[in-house]
Amino acid sequence: HVQLVESGGGSVQAGGSPRLSCAAIGYRGSYSCMGWFREVPGKEREATATIDSSGITAYADSLEGRFTVSADNAKNTLYLQMNGPKPEDNGIYYCARMVFISCGGDWGLNGRYRYWGQGTQVTVS
């Protein structure tokens, strides 16, 4: 049974540098593509960033280069470094994992991911 557990959310300061973490518990396979999604009220859940087994990353244009995704394969943990978050970054952040080692060009599609965390709320003030 695979669990993805996010942490690091809560109330964060605008202009600060909070970091979200996602631990993959019970995952025994090879490292595969993982990503962060964001959900805000009234909008669909959108992909924000991904990283594949080779460390290749991809980001949503809306982030304007402010966030950095990384992974510690030995710890089976995914990170999202938020640099200078803004109020429009408010939302529930979910981590997700594919079973593929490469994220592919359609990394933004929810259906590509098999495992999902419960989400962590981020409120920027």
Side-chain angles (χ1 to χ4, degrees):
H1 178 63
V2 176
Q3 275 188 298
L4 301 183
V5 181
E6 301 97 338
S7 60
S11 180
V12 302
Q13 283 192 328
S17 300
R19 188 177 74 166
L20 305 183
S21 300
C22 172
I25 301 170
Y27 186 79
R28 298 287 182 263
S30 301
Y31 186 79
S32 56
C33 172
M34 292 191 72
W36 287 99
F37 284 71
R38 177 169 68 191
E39 188 173 288
V40 299
K43 294 186 178 181
E44 292 185 358
R45 188 177 300 184
E46 63 173 356
T48 57
T50 57
I51 183 168
D52 71 9
S53 60
S54 299
I56 297 174
T57 58
Y59 297 92
D61 292 340
S62 61
L63 294 184
E64 301 172 323
R66 295 181 293 109
F67 294 178
T68 302
V69 62
S70 62
D72 184 331
N73 293 354
K75 295 182 179 179
N76 240 345
T77 301
L78 179 73
Y79 302 99
L80 185 67
Q81 180 68 51
M82 306 173 71
N83 296 313
K86 304 175 182 179
E88 52 262 43
D89 295 320
N90 284 348
I92 301 174
Y93 285 73
Y94 298 89
C95 73
R97 186 165 205 155
M98 294 185 185
V99 295
F100 312 112
I101 60 174
S102 177
C103 299
D106 54 355
W107 61 269
L109 298 179
N110 295 14
R112 291 270 292 166
Y113 298 82
R114 176 173 293 184
Y115 306 107
W116 289 85
Q118 293 299 307
T120 183
Q121 174 73 48
V122 173
T123 303
V124 183
S125 59

